[in-house]
Amino acid sequence: LYPHRCYNKEIFKMKPKIFISGSSGFIGFHTAKKFLDGGFKVYGFDSMNNYYDINLKKSRLKILKKYKNFIFTRGSLENENKLFDCIFKFKPQIIIHLAAQAGVRYSIKNPNTYLNSNILGTFNILKAASKIKIKHLIIGSSSSVYGANKKFPFKEIDKTDHQVSFYAATKKSTESLAHSYSALWKLPVTMLRFFTVYGPYGRPDMAYFKFTKKILANQKIDIYNKGKMYRDYTYIDDIVDGIYKLTNKFPSLNIKNKYKNDSLSPVAPFRILNIGNTKKIYLLDFINFLEKILNKKIKRNYLPMQKGDVHSTLSDSSLLKRITGYNPKTNYKTGIRKFIDWYLNFYN
């Protein structure tokens, strides 16, 4: 039934073992590297699709393959047999599910891709995790699920009924699917809602990445809603630190695990957590600092709000802090400098 050879028996002797989907993606790569540096055994699984420059994904993978404790399989989450074969034979204690089709704007033109990757792919991860009785399943969600919410900062216990993009709707759907599996099979699940993650080896479809590329090429940049918006920009090292600290803090129905304003489900070992920088950064301030550090006058093209986008995001990550001690330390100016240093070096 599972013919794919996805493992090496010799590396199964040490514990704990971590399975990371989307290991060649932006957050997945940095997360895998963090655990490998900590001496963990990591199994990476990634489709290596061409949504953006595959050479960037190959560069991330090349770094991970230097670790003797790393195994990798190229495959899609929709391929149930291949995914199950890898997970069942590796027998991880922790699964960190970060693979997903990203991008708000791309989801408007290609919704089928999001249905397959985000919903069917997550469903297959849930099935595999429940069968091997995983100790903790961490699933990447998104701040976009807050949609049209007007109350800031966003809290996990806020209602999230008004998504404004198809991408956000698929992320909200995965939260519901995960909760049902958690309730049915007592599967410990934590959903992590990421807030505008940026940094070295980032995604080229993200605004800061596109801005940098165009500014250096002396091209005009598009600024939506005339720049009148803000984001909770979160540096990648802070994100990864939060994930790392969270792995052994799995949700439980035990009342002793309750925290103030806890999002813990009353019927399942299931919790939703924001993970952001908790700082309000205005888009124009972000762009102006890019202009300063690159020492180039930016040509600006101001446009109205784009379909599917939201005006602002801001996280309340205090629940994650109470549970893990999470404390984001990187301000956006330091983070941008680190990204620019990487970008100039990587692209010569």
Side-chain angles (χ1 to χ4, degrees):
L1 181 60
Y2 305 113
H4 309 280
R5 188 168 183 81
C6 300
Y7 69 109
N8 178 337
K9 292 181 181 179
E10 287 303 309
I11 80 164
F12 292 160
K13 295 176 181 178
M14 294 177 64
K15 294 183 179 180
K17 293 182 288 190
I18 314 252
F19 185 94
I20 300 177
S21 72
S23 58
S24 298
F26 174 36
I27 300 176
F29 157 69
H30 284 278
T31 301
K33 189 174 184 302
K34 175 77 171 181
F35 280 100
L36 288 166
D37 285 338
F40 290 77
K41 304 299 184 183
V42 176
Y43 198 126
F45 191 91
D46 199 293
S47 68
M48 303 290 289
N49 66 32
N50 61 356
Y51 167 62
Y52 60 77
D53 183 12
I54 195 170
N55 290 317
L56 183 56
K57 298 179 181 182
K58 288 179 178 177
S59 296
R60 297 171 184 144
L61 179 58
K62 184 177 179 181
I63 292 171
L64 296 180
K65 283 186 171 179
K66 293 178 181 178
Y67 291 85
K68 64 180 181 180
N69 293 342
F70 180 71
I71 315 169
F72 177 75
T73 292
R74 181 172 184 171
S76 70
L77 296 174
E78 300 94 304
N79 187 337
E80 181 181 300
N81 282 359
K82 191 170 192 177
L83 178 67
F84 281 21
D85 183 42
C86 298
I87 291 176
F88 292 172
K89 289 177 178 175
F90 184 57
K91 294 183 176 63
Q93 285 75 44
I94 309 290
I95 292 179
I96 304 175
H97 173 42
L98 299 173
Q101 179 56 59
V104 168
R105 291 156 196 165
Y106 188 68
S107 71
I108 297 171
K109 298 179 180 178
N110 299 276
N112 285 3
T113 304
Y114 291 74
L115 281 172
N116 292 330
S117 180
N118 297 1
I119 296 179
L120 179 57
T122 299
F123 175 53
N124 286 338
I125 286 284
L126 287 167
K127 286 193 291 184
S130 64
K131 287 180 183 295
I132 65 170
K133 301 187 185 304
I134 202 77
K135 289 184 177 179
H136 195 183
L137 171 59
I138 298 171
I139 301 177
S141 187
S142 167
S143 62
S144 65
V145 302
Y146 289 105
N149 284 23
K150 300 295 184 184
K151 180 177 168 244
F152 296 95
F154 296 145
K155 293 185 179 182
E156 297 91 345
I157 56 176
D158 293 342
K159 291 185 69 174
T160 52
D161 294 335
H162 303 108
Q163 287 76 46
V164 295
S165 72
F166 194 73
Y167 165 70
T170 63
K171 284 299 189 179
K172 175 64 176 177
S173 299
T174 61
E175 292 184 359
S176 296
L177 285 171
H179 182 271
S180 69
Y181 253 71
S182 178
L184 286 168
W185 311 113
K186 301 300 180 274
L187 180 68
V189 178
T190 300
M191 304 293 310
L192 273 179
R193 290 176 177 167
F194 296 113
F195 280 73
T196 316
V197 188
Y198 74 102
Y201 285 96
R203 279 177 25 216
D205 64 320
M206 296 288 284
Y208 72 95
F209 205 116
K210 291 191 290 186
F211 287 161
T212 301
K213 182 178 180 179
K214 288 190 173 185
I215 292 166
L216 290 171
N218 293 312
Q219 296 176 355
K220 190 175 290 187
I221 66 170
D222 292 336
I223 303 174
Y224 294 100
N225 201 40
K226 299 181 180 179
K228 297 175 182 177
M229 58 175 72
Y230 60 82
R231 291 287 183 268
D232 189 342
Y233 291 100
T234 316
Y235 190 66
I236 184 62
D237 287 1
D238 292 325
I239 290 286
V240 170
D241 184 59
I243 296 173
Y244 191 83
K245 290 176 177 176
L246 181 64
T247 50
N248 67 343
K249 304 291 185 180
F250 51 87
S252 167
L253 286 175
N254 188 331
I255 194 65
K256 292 179 182 178
N257 280 4
K258 291 288 285 184
Y259 296 87
K260 182 181 178 182
N261 293 325
D262 202 345
S263 61
L264 182 69
S265 167
V267 296
F270 174 92
R271 181 183 276 125
I272 294 172
L273 291 172
N274 289 335
I275 181 165
N277 193 46
T278 71
K279 300 290 191 303
K280 184 189 299 185
I281 308 299
Y282 286 93
L283 179 59
L284 289 180
D285 290 340
F286 196 93
I287 291 170
N288 290 337
F289 188 69
L290 267 179
E291 184 176 60
K292 178 181 177 181
I293 195 171
L294 290 171
N295 196 28
K296 278 184 173 286
K297 188 68 178 176
I298 295 176
K299 301 173 185 177
R300 307 176 187 218
N301 182 33
Y302 291 101
L303 297 168
M305 182 73 87
Q306 195 165 51
K307 186 181 291 186
D309 213 346
V310 295
H311 176 272
S312 305
T313 65
L314 182 63
S315 74
D316 180 336
S317 297
S318 58
L319 179 57
L320 179 62
K321 182 175 183 178
R322 285 192 288 273
I323 294 171
T324 68
Y326 172 71
N327 183 28
K329 300 175 181 177
T330 312
N331 68 59
Y332 82 96
K333 291 184 178 181
T334 300
I336 291 175
R337 287 183 186 279
K338 289 182 178 181
F339 167 73
I340 294 299
D341 287 345
W342 167 82
Y343 187 96
L344 295 175
N345 180 64
F346 187 80
Y347 291 104
N348 296 316

